[in-house]
Amino acid sequence: MPVNEAKPSLTLYTSMPEPPKPNKSKLLIVGLPLIAVLFVFSLVQLQFDYAKIMQGFTKLGGYMGAMFPPDFSDWQHVLLAAVESLQVAILGSVLGIVVAFFLSFLAASNLTPHPFVAWIIQSAASLLRAIPTIVWALIFIVSVGLGPLPGVLAIAVSAAGMLVKVFAQSLEEIDKGVLEAMRSTGASWLQIVMQGILPTVKTAFIAWCVLQLEGGIAESTILGAVGAGGIGFELTHAMKSYNFAAALFVGLVVFIMVFSVEFVANRYKMKLKTRQN
C-alpha cells in the first residue's frame, strides 16, 4: 500500500529583513535639551538691558565711522611695537613647541614607557591649559617684571599645554600595525620614531604649529595690554584716548601679521604635499 509522503516545500523570501534602526545617542537626547534650558536660564538670570544694547550698537556705528581714514602718522612706532609682538609670539611659540614635541611622545598611550607617565604629563598639560594665557602673563609680570619676557613665558606655557594634547592625539592615531611591523624587524625606539612616526605625523604637527603661531600673535597683542610689551600697548593706548583712527591702523597691522604667517605656512604645506606626491 503506497504511503503518501509529504513533499518538502520551499519558501522563497522575496524581501530582505530590514536593518536595525540606529539608536539615538543618549548624550544627544539629554544634552541638547539641557543646553537649551541652561541657555534660557542664563538669558533670564543675567537680565540684559536690551535698550542699552541697542544704544551701544548705535554708538559703535559712530565709532566705526570715526576710524576712517586710518591714522598712519605714528607708523614707525607702531611697526616697532609690531616687531616686538612678533618676536614675543615666535619665541613663546617655539619654546612651547619644543617642550610639547618631546613630552608628547611620553604622553601618547602607544609610545609612553609607562601609563602612569602618560597620565602625569597629560594631567600637567590639562592644568596649563586650564589657566588662561593672560593669567599666566600676570603671574610672570609679578615674578619677572614688566616687558616682553612675561609675554614670552606666558605664551610658551599655554602653547606647551595645548600642543602636548594635540601632538599626543596625533601620535595615538598612527596605525598599530606599522609600529608592530617595525618592532618585529628589531628597530629601536629612536628608529621607529624617526622612520615610521615622524613622516606620518609631520603634516599634522606642522598644521598645529602654524595654528599655535597664529594664536600666539593674537595673544601677544592681548598681553601687551596688561604690560607685556608689544603692539597691544599701542592698541590699548589708542582706544583709551579715543583715537579710533590710530586704533584701526594698529588693527590692520595685526591682521597683516597673522595673514602673512598663514600665507607662508600654507605655501610651505603645499610644497610638502607636492614632494610627497
Side-chain angles (χ1 to χ4, degrees):
M1 185 175 177
V3 179
N4 294 329
E5 295 180 357
K7 296 181 179 181
S9 60
L10 298 176
T11 304
L12 298 178
Y13 294 95
T14 57
S15 61
M16 297 294 293
E18 295 182 359
K21 295 181 179 180
N23 295 325
K24 293 183 178 180
S25 173
K26 293 182 179 180
L27 182 62
L28 188 64
I29 295 174
V30 177
L32 286 180
L34 181 62
I35 292 174
V37 171
L38 290 175
F39 175 79
V40 175
F41 174 77
S42 302
L43 198 63
V44 174
Q45 185 71 19
L46 293 177
Q47 298 179 355
F48 290 116
D49 190 344
Y50 296 101
K52 281 189 176 181
I53 294 176
M54 294 304 298
Q55 292 176 3
F57 277 110
T58 303
K59 290 181 180 179
L60 179 62
Y63 296 151
M64 294 291 290
M67 290 183 176
F68 294 94
D71 185 3
F72 299 94
S73 60
D74 202 16
W75 64 272
Q76 291 181 338
H77 193 63
V78 172
L79 291 183
L80 288 175
V83 171
E84 186 179 36
S85 290
L86 189 61
Q87 292 171 336
V88 169
I90 292 174
L91 286 175
S93 297
V94 169
L95 289 175
I97 288 169
V98 171
V99 172
F101 177 79
F102 290 104
L103 291 181
S104 62
F105 290 93
L106 302 176
S109 59
N110 55 344
L111 296 173
T112 184
H114 194 277
F116 183 71
V117 175
W119 180 81
I120 288 292
I121 296 175
Q122 291 174 0
S123 299
S126 299
L127 175 63
L128 298 182
R129 291 195 307 273
I131 301 175
T133 308
I134 193 169
V135 176
W136 282 117
L138 294 173
I139 293 173
F140 288 122
I141 285 173
V142 174
S143 303
V144 300
L146 298 174
L149 181 58
V152 172
L153 297 176
I155 292 176
V157 169
S158 296
M162 188 270 288
L163 292 176
V164 164
K165 177 182 179 180
V166 296
F167 282 178
Q169 288 178 344
S170 298
L171 294 172
E172 290 172 350
E173 291 174 358
I174 297 175
D175 188 6
K176 294 181 179 179
V178 175
L179 301 179
E180 292 175 358
M182 294 192 69
R183 290 191 183 106
S184 64
T185 61
S188 64
W189 187 86
L190 184 61
Q191 290 175 330
I192 293 174
V193 170
M194 298 299 296
Q195 300 177 11
I197 295 176
L198 288 183
T200 305
V201 301
K202 178 172 62 175
T203 304
F205 274 29
I206 291 174
W208 285 116
C209 291
V210 171
L211 183 63
Q212 167 55 41
L213 183 57
E214 294 175 7
I217 294 174
E219 288 175 345
S220 66
T221 303
I222 299 172
L223 297 181
V226 296
I231 200 171
F233 175 79
E234 301 299 324
L235 181 60
T236 304
H237 177 70
M239 293 298 294
K240 287 182 177 179
S241 60
Y242 292 92
N243 190 354
F244 299 112
L248 178 60
F249 174 61
V250 175
L252 291 174
V253 172
V254 174
F255 169 76
I256 292 172
M257 291 165 57
V258 176
F259 179 79
S260 300
V261 171
E262 185 175 1
F263 177 77
V264 172
N266 288 337
R267 292 293 299 271
Y268 179 69
K269 286 190 290 185
M270 290 296 295
K271 287 184 178 180
L272 283 179
K273 290 182 180 179
T274 304
R275 291 177 183 176
Q276 291 174 355
N277 295 333

